[in-house]
Amino acid sequence: MSRTNLQYDEAVSQCKDIFIKKTKDYGTAWRVLRTISVVDQIFIKALRIRTIQDLNTQKVGDDIPSEFKGILNYAVIGLMQLELGNPQVEELPVEKVDALYRKNIELAKNTMLDKNHDYGEAWREMSQQSFADLILMKLMRIKQILANDGKTLISEGIDANYVDIINYAVFALILIAEGKH
């Protein structure tokens, strides 16, 4: 399990580095995004991964690991937006963004640790294709929750789906780094 902890932290560290640098470049322009817009951004990236997997070729430079990193960062944005509420034109200090990022990654990592305990790291035997498909499924679930005015009868909410998306992206990045994908 300690190997997974280290690998998880390394994958997230790469994503966070990109996120904070982009925050310094662009500010917090993402604050204007409503939930459906965040979902659509993740959808575009997940569908691109699936298309590259299916065609076994690509024409745009960003590779599959870059797309998984983008998915992770947009899912963190989704969690931050749910917490902050009221999407708007708003500049947040980098320090606040950093703290929000860390808080939401901690939530995702703790969820991963709990599930790993129960599932025995089954994700290590999964394919990159499955991670892309599961991310797409989670996005479809979020869209349905939004169509239901944010209400669920028995299922987890939007936040839990974002957490799962973060963890699927991390798992894909770990397996890619191990040369398994």
Side-chain angles (χ1 to χ4, degrees):
M1 192 69 85
S2 63
R3 179 174 126 219
T4 298
N5 276 327
L6 293 172
Q7 290 174 305
Y8 192 101
D9 292 345
E10 176 57 32
V12 167
S13 176
Q14 293 171 17
C15 297
K16 183 180 175 203
D17 182 61
I18 293 166
F19 192 88
I20 296 299
K21 285 178 179 172
K22 285 192 175 192
T23 299
K24 290 176 181 176
D25 286 348
Y26 299 134
T28 53
W30 51 264
R31 273 294 287 137
V32 304
L33 296 174
R34 292 172 280 191
T35 300
I36 192 64
S37 299
V38 174
V39 168
D40 284 345
Q41 287 299 307
I42 299 169
F43 180 81
I44 289 166
K45 292 182 172 304
L47 200 57
R48 181 165 184 266
I49 290 169
R50 188 171 167 155
T51 301
I52 292 168
Q53 291 168 340
D54 289 347
L55 298 177
N56 207 25
T57 186
Q58 68 185 71
K59 293 188 176 186
V60 178
D62 290 339
D63 58 8
I64 287 175
S66 296
E67 295 295 1
F68 277 117
K69 290 174 186 175
I71 286 169
L72 184 149
N73 281 337
Y74 272 110
V76 172
I77 285 172
L79 287 171
M80 289 191 285
Q81 288 292 74
L82 290 174
E83 181 177 345
L84 294 168
N86 191 27
Q88 60 186 300
V89 176
E90 175 183 36
E91 277 305 314
L92 300 174
V94 174
E95 298 77 25
K96 181 171 183 172
V97 172
D98 185 84
L100 287 167
Y101 194 100
R102 280 186 282 112
K103 175 184 176 187
N104 285 293
I105 287 297
E106 183 178 338
L107 169 68
K109 185 176 181 183
N110 287 335
T111 301
M112 178 274 300
L113 291 170
D114 290 346
K115 288 185 176 184
N116 264 0
H117 175 272
D118 292 353
Y119 290 96
E121 294 198 338
W123 60 269
R124 289 192 175 275
E125 304 304 319
M126 293 172 61
S127 70
Q128 186 185 99
Q129 289 85 352
S130 291
F131 293 126
D133 290 352
L134 289 167
I135 289 168
L136 287 166
M137 180 186 70
K138 293 291 182 177
L139 296 170
M140 300 307 292
R141 287 180 177 182
I142 293 171
K143 286 183 179 187
Q144 186 59 49
I145 293 169
L146 291 172
N148 294 338
D149 296 323
K151 295 176 179 69
T152 59
L153 299 174
I154 191 170
S155 305
E156 298 175 317
I158 293 170
D159 57 339
N161 285 283
Y162 281 142
V163 166
D164 287 344
I165 289 169
I166 289 168
N167 286 328
Y168 292 145
V170 170
F171 295 157
L173 290 167
I174 290 171
L175 293 177
I176 289 167
E178 289 182 343
K180 293 183 180 173
H181 290 292

